[in-house]
Amino acid sequence: MKIVTRLTNRLLALALACAASVAPAAHAAPQPSFGIEVGNALLCLNQLNSKYFFDYLVAAFGPPYKTEGGAYWFKATNVSLWGMQATDFLINDSSSQADFIGAYFNTTPVKLTDAIKAALGIRFTPEDDTAYPVRQSQAGSKIVYNDTNAKMYCAKSKFLVPGPEQP
């Protein structure tokens, strides 16, 4: 009978150890370089590599909480870029025709563009004079309205477009 009790206790310990290794780990705060890595990508100042940024965002926030609209979505907590609170980050999935990275912010596009200009000197120019214009940087990054908040993204085509032939 002792052998059955010891075997049961060992099996229970093994089951608990396996469950602990399968349970999602608590994710630490993003790395100190997060603002540089992800911030520069959002500003279109870096090359976009969706596999790299997917892995980077998984390391920072855990697995994506949804896949929608050709993107993996990551929930951010206590993350700010340029002094503005970010709520979500997204990176394209394989179904998308573009490589892109994006972020949602708890602020207006005007306040976000002002914060980026104050921090880095990068300006975003409204593309038109409508009430809710798309704002674009010289590098191609865009800031748009998402209801009353800001959405920022950098998108680049996965496909090379042939240029005019040279004589």
Side-chain angles (χ1 to χ4, degrees), residues 68-143:
E68 181 179 281
Y72 296 106
W73 292 63
F74 297 86
K75 184 60 74 183
T77 53
N78 299 321
V79 175
S80 68
L81 294 172
W82 313 292
M84 298 287 127
Q85 185 72 35
T87 60
D88 297 271
F89 289 90
L90 5 112
I91 190 74
N92 66 283
D93 66 16
S94 61
S95 71
S96 174
Q97 292 187 358
D99 283 323
F100 66 85
I101 187 167
Y104 285 80
F105 291 86
N106 263 342
T107 190
T108 66
V110 172
K111 289 180 182 175
L112 181 58
T113 57
D114 290 346
I116 294 169
K117 184 177 179 185
L120 303 171
I122 296 174
R123 294 180 328 155
F124 282 77
T125 307
E127 290 185 353
D128 56 40
D129 59 359
T130 62
Y132 304 103
V134 173
R135 291 166 168 77
Q136 184 169 330
S137 72
Q138 208 169 15
S141 177
K142 294 187 178 189
I143 298 176

